Amino acid sequence: KIIATAAIRGAHKIVGRAEESLRQALETYGPDAPVAFPNTGYYLPVIYGMTGMVVEKVGDLVPVLERAKALLPPVPSEKVWLPYLGPALDAGMATLFADEIIEAIKYLGTPPYTMTSKPTDDNLWLGAADDVILRKRGIEFVDGTAPGFAAVVGAAPTNEIAVKIARELQEKNLYVFMSAETDGRSFAEQLAEEGVELGWETRLVPFGKDITATVFSLGFAARAAMSFGGVKPGDFRRVLLYNKNRIFAFVIALGYVDDEKYAQAAGAINFGFPTIADTDIPQILPTGICTYEHVVSNVPHDKIVSRAIEVRGLKITVTKVPVPVAYGPAFEGESVRKGDMHVEFGGQRTPAFELVRMRDAAEVEDGKIEVIGPDVDTVPEGGRLPLGIVVDVYGRKMQEDFEPVLERRIHYFINYAQGVWHMGQRDINWLRISKAAFKQGFRLRHFGDILYAKMKSEFASILDRVQVTIYTDEAKVLEMREEARRIYAHRDERLKALSDDTVDTFYSCTLCQSFAPTHVCVVLPERVGLCGSVSWLDAKASYEINPHGCNQPVPKKDVIDPVKGQWQSCNDFIFQNSRGTIERVNFYTIMEYPLTSCGCFEAIIVMLPECNGFMIVNREHAGMTPCGMTFSTLAGMIGGGVQTPGFMGIGKAYLASKKFIIADGGLARIVWMPKDFKEQMRHVLEERAEELGLGRDFLDKIADETVGVTAEEILPFLEEKGHPALTMDPLL
Ligand code: SF4
Ligand code: NI
Ligand code: NI
């Protein structure tokens, strides 16, 4: 029987490596050189989460290294069972600190990573996830869309086995974080060689080939605890508990496990993540100490995923969709390139559309799926067909207003099928079926099978009957597209008429209370939730679907201030639902009792008193802004469900709303926004500016980072352009 010796020995080796890297970095760059993982507010996240130590300069790594060394137990001289877990765990933690030191130093020179969300042509390895990725993917761990992650270390004996394991993990909706190698081979390279699409979008994330890149998995977990769990940096007990209880992760070790890998496994055990291996590896500690095994040896490859899930105690429910290809959210991000496609539809090449329409009971036959026109086996490889997808639904609780909510789900439901790709919506949709999916037997009726199964399972409470018709006969597609266009136009009319003033109910969203316990989003017809993904109609529909869920009606009664947008009934609702912390909210101003922010905002508005206006920065923008803070710093300051006058998180679409901060002067107050963001919004903002009488060229009066990133730098520009904010009523 062997023991923790290997882990402790490995920890000594990695800490030794860190010491040498740090010595060289101090020599080459000096102690004041800035050091960081890209675009994050969590510094080196494991170190920050565990110790609260902030690393910003190379010199800051020195005390961290000391800390790691202090944790290192002496290497036991004999192979004996250690009486308790402590020494191995400490060695594991020291390893993670050393990993982060080594990885951080890599970013000093030319980083060996792409720093993008998927591999580039000449680099497979992504490195640390930035905060944009963390936020986007992390929420899936919180809301259950992703039940957890597998950190795969090493390489499978063959590429085929690697692909099988990866697919199985994807089908279970798990993220797959990959690092390290076995004899020069790595799991990620094996997948890439087999043409598997890697990146955050497909949940197959190649972190790095070095063993130390394993720490990016634990860093992701530590940041989840701090950002979603509200755990304070340095509160190591709670960081670890949060992970043990909420992040269902495990390590799959493929191939020979050397000392350094043991050391990583010991680090992961601190987080409550067990290691499942395909080789014979000794226990790190005696079994029976903990509620589940920490290390499981010699698991055959076809059992390794299910065994890991079982050991970690994960319950995964997957709706079975009767299609001949793999199906699940992990396949959503896969694209089907032109050379790989069997057939495509729409995309301005053939007429196409998709439609969900509410019908009477007699007009919908539940479960009926019909294909009208030629199937995909009649077209030559690389061919095209027209396509109409009509989903007829009936339900006693269905409302016409929910049609677009259901219709938007078509995009996701279809994309979840492996080898099937969907883009756009309505009559500008574009779909492809890959050669591989076609060979596996994917045919048109499977669109129907997918939509039927998913609509019925996700909207069970509002849909009693669902029928799907797929048209490919060109004349028929054109005829039905006219019908669809009539319905779209009718909907748009209704949407336009929908305004804050004409409804008597707003809706709340408290989904984010799991990590911002006092935060309440109130979603108005003219103000989308600050994450950008919950509209008033979405919230209304989801209330009908689940009356006990996180979207509740907020009555709009007893107006207190019609200009700033304050109602007594809304105050009452927010007070009750914020655990008594927020007493009043104005919907139309940032300056006084503004809405609170959780952490999911797509953009942040900040007052710039020197310019008598506001700046807006979007999450994607990493650079400095005129308020003296980057997005990450701002986000850390305003999140968590507190009111911060002068600052507010918003959804991007709110910018174009007629009600956009109207009590503060509206769009005319915007004096700075990042260039890319401006371009992204140009079309809608130009229209809106024209309606407001600001002129179509108003956008060009808004400064951006090319003009400057301080108030002093942008003021002369605003003056030269005659920006309206400068002559408006003083904000303060
Ligand atoms: Fe809901 Fe607001 Fe969170 Fe979006 S940000 S999910 S609207 S609580
Ligand atoms: Ni998501
Ligand atoms: Ni949120």
Side-chain angles (χ1 to χ4, degrees):
K1 285 283 158 70
I2 322 177
I3 36 88
T5 313
I8 296 173
R9 231 176 14 227
H12 277 267
K13 289 184 192 170
I14 302 244
V15 172
R17 255 187 77 187
E19 188 162 20
E20 178 53 22
S21 291
L22 181 53
R23 194 189 57 73
Q24 283 180 18
L26 284 166
E27 213 174 273
T28 317
Y29 304 99
D32 293 325
V35 65
F37 290 156
N39 199 11
T40 174
Y42 299 97
Y43 308 99
L44 306 186
V46 173
I47 293 167
Y48 186 52
M50 291 299 131
T51 68
M53 290 165 96
V54 168
V55 174
E56 289 172 307
K57 304 187 307 280
V58 174
D60 297 334
L61 291 169
V62 176
V64 177
L65 182 71
E66 290 312 313
R67 196 77 173 242
K69 281 173 150 176
L71 277 170
L72 270 184
V75 181
S77 53
E78 279 186 40
K79 292 181 169 184
V80 288
W81 283 107
L82 288 173
Y84 63 102
L85 190 52
L89 283 183
D90 287 351
M93 197 49 85
T95 303
L96 300 182
F97 292 178
D99 285 343
E100 274 191 343
I101 293 175
I102 295 167
E103 289 296 331
I105 288 172
K106 287 185 188 170
Y107 281 93
L108 276 167
T110 314
Y113 302 124
T114 65
M115 302 199 277
T116 51
S117 71
K118 59 176 167 209
T120 56
D121 287 343
D122 47 13
N123 194 355
L124 180 64
W125 303 106
L126 309 183
D130 65 19
D131 283 356
V132 178
I133 292 174
L134 172 79
R135 163 66 214 148
K136 195 158 161 204
R137 305 294 160 181
I139 189 81
E140 298 175 347
F141 289 88
V142 178
D143 71 16
T145 330
F149 70 78
V152 179
V153 177
T158 66
N159 288 8
E160 289 63 42
I161 292 174
V163 173
K164 271 209 182 112
I165 293 175
R167 291 306 189 203
E168 204 180 335
L169 289 164
Q170 275 182 306
E171 280 182 53
K172 299 280 191 298
N173 304 335
L174 294 157
Y175 273 84
V176 185
F177 296 159
M178 297 170 266
S179 62
E181 52 170 280
T182 304
D183 299 329
R185 306 270 296 144
S186 73
F187 191 73
E189 287 165 331
Q190 294 181 308
L191 299 182
E193 281 165 21
E194 296 307 305
V196 175
E197 204 174 327
L198 303 182
W200 282 96
E201 285 80 6
T202 57
R203 303 194 176 187
L204 299 173
V205 184
F207 275 141
K209 197 168 177 176
D210 198 341
I211 180 72
T212 52
T214 309
V215 80
F216 294 138
S217 299
L218 287 319
F220 186 86
R223 285 152 75 191
M226 289 184 279
S227 95
F228 303 117
V231 180
K232 291 280 162 290
D235 189 348
F236 68 92
R237 243 176 262 282
R238 285 187 57 217
V239 171
L240 298 176
L241 264 182
Y242 179 90
N243 276 282
K244 186 165 182 283
N245 297 334
R246 291 197 172 224
I247 304 289
F248 289 93
F250 48 83
V251 180
I252 291 185
L254 298 173
Y256 176 67
V257 176
D258 57 20
D259 292 350
E260 283 91 334
K261 284 183 187 158
Y262 271 115
Q264 307 295 336
I269 290 171
N270 277 292
F271 284 73
F273 305 159
T275 294
I276 321 300
D278 62 350
T279 57
D280 188 17
I281 63 170
Q283 288 295 323
I284 285 181
L285 71 158
T287 43
I289 273 191
C290 188
T291 46
Y292 54 83
E293 294 162 279
H294 293 102
V295 174
V296 185
S297 281
N298 285 324
V299 183
H301 294 110
D302 59 343
K303 298 266 157 39
I304 205 158
V305 173
S306 52
R307 190 82 178 91
I309 288 171
E310 180 193 5
V311 170
R312 186 62 182 93
L314 246 167
K315 302 230 172 349
I316 295 178
T317 45
V318 181
T319 332
K320 262 281 160 218
V321 174
V323 288
V325 294
Y327 189 87
F331 303 102
E332 184 201 327
E334 271 189 343
S335 52
V336 175
R337 278 181 296 262
K338 206 169 162 54
D340 299 330
M341 85 184 184
H342 176 77
V343 60
E344 71 180 327
F345 315 88
Q348 318 301 335
R349 294 160 171 85
T350 63
F353 71 94
E354 61 201 40
L355 176 73
V356 170
R357 44 175 198 182
M358 185 173 100
R359 314 226 79 189
D360 291 335
E363 294 168 305
V364 188
E365 186 182 320
D366 189 45
K368 182 173 175 190
I369 293 164
E370 211 181 346
V371 177
I372 297 176
D375 208 329
V376 293
D377 47 10
T378 64
V379 285
E381 202 169 87
R384 285 173 188 156
L385 277 175
L387 180 71
I389 299 175
V390 177
V391 183
D392 288 320
V393 300
Y394 162 78
R396 272 153 299 163
K397 290 179 67 189
M398 177 66 193
Q399 297 178 22
E400 206 183 321
D401 278 347
F402 302 159
E403 285 178 353
V405 175
L406 305 194
E407 200 175 282
R408 260 189 299 142
R409 302 294 293 165
I410 292 180
H411 168 78
Y412 297 95
F413 295 160
I414 287 187
N415 254 336
Y416 286 177
Q418 188 183 12
V420 184
W421 177 84
H422 180 282
M423 237 181 84
Q425 49 161 336
R426 290 191 171 183
D427 56 355
I428 52 163
N429 60 350
W430 184 9
L431 293 88
R432 282 176 173 171
I433 297 174
S434 75
K435 289 177 197 169
F438 175 75
K439 279 200 196 90
Q440 283 171 269
F442 195 94
R443 296 296 178 268
L444 285 175
R445 76 155 284 129
H446 294 121
F447 285 142
D449 287 327
I450 290 171
L451 293 171
Y452 177 76
K454 293 301 280 183
M455 290 284 175
K456 282 290 275 215
S457 70
E458 295 214 1
F459 300 106
S461 60
I462 52 169
L463 299 184
D464 299 323
R465 298 181 189 178
V466 175
Q467 170 182 338
V468 185
T469 315
I470 310 291
Y471 299 94
T472 53
D473 176 87
E474 177 142 7
K476 205 63 194 149
V477 170
L478 290 173
E479 178 196 323
M480 290 304 294
R481 191 173 66 176
E482 282 318 301
E483 155 84 0
R485 283 178 174 166
R486 259 196 308 279
I487 294 177
Y488 303 147
H490 172 71
R491 265 185 214 162
D492 289 344
E493 281 311 306
R494 284 174 61 89
L495 267 182
K496 257 196 207 134
L498 192 67
S499 89
D500 295 1
D501 308 326
T502 55
V503 300
D504 58 9
T505 309
F506 298 149
Y507 284 88
S508 68
C509 183
T510 49
L511 185 67
C512 289
Q513 286 201 345
S514 60
F515 55 91
T518 62
H519 173 71
V520 181
C521 265
V522 180
V523 184
L524 284 56
E526 294 176 273
R527 188 188 195 275
V528 61
L530 51 85
C531 56
S533 50
V534 181
S535 72
W536 184 83
L537 270 181
D538 293 325
K540 184 170 187 245
S542 99
Y543 170 67
E544 297 295 332
I545 292 161
N546 176 11
H548 306 293
C550 60
N551 299 109
Q552 294 294 321
V554 182
K556 186 187 119 189
K557 280 200 310 262
D558 308 321
V559 66
I560 295 174
D561 189 329
V563 177
K564 291 179 179 154
Q566 193 183 140
W567 285 268
Q568 185 60 48
S569 57
C570 299
N571 285 343
D572 293 344
F573 182 95
I574 293 168
F575 185 73
Q576 260 173 27
N577 288 277
S578 65
R579 308 185 181 184
T581 58
I582 307 293
E583 286 180 29
R584 56 180 68 223
V585 165
N586 288 319
F587 293 129
Y588 302 136
T589 171
I590 310 175
M591 303 302 293
E592 213 187 323
Y593 305 113
L595 275 155
T596 59
S597 304
C598 42
C600 317
F601 29 74
E602 290 185 297
I604 300 174
I605 314 188
V606 184
M607 180 184 50
L608 287 180
E610 302 92 328
C611 304
N612 202 34
F614 297 102
M615 55 152 275
I616 301 189
V617 56
N618 54 322
R619 187 175 287 274
E620 294 83 357
H621 187 74
M624 188 41 74
T625 74
C627 70
M629 287 179 269
T630 61
F631 183 92
S632 302
T633 315
L634 277 169
M637 200 182 93
I638 71 163
V642 290
Q643 282 177 321
T644 28
F647 299 81
M648 189 164 69
I650 59 162
K652 289 177 182 174
Y654 179 51
L655 261 173
S657 161
K658 289 197 173 68
K659 288 287 197 291
F660 175 65
I661 55 168
I662 40 167
D664 302 326
L667 192 61
R669 284 279 187 190
I670 303 305
V671 295
W672 188 93
M673 60 197 282
K675 199 170 182 344
D676 281 350
F677 188 27
K678 225 195 298 188
E679 290 317 312
Q680 208 182 88
M681 301 288 296
R682 180 170 285 278
H683 182 68
V684 278
L685 289 188
E686 272 176 354
E687 245 167 58
R688 190 65 201 117
E690 192 161 38
E691 279 168 21
L692 286 167
L694 296 168
R696 273 190 101 76
D697 64 343
F698 171 68
L699 237 63
D700 304 318
K701 297 180 181 169
I702 301 177
D704 56 38
E705 70 276 20
T706 65
V707 176
V709 290
T710 63
E712 297 77 62
E713 281 168 10
I714 65 171
L715 253 179
F717 173 89
L718 301 175
E719 275 158 8
E720 185 203 312
K721 297 278 175 184
H723 193 291
L726 299 179
T727 53
M728 290 169 79
D729 287 344
L731 268 177
L732 287 177

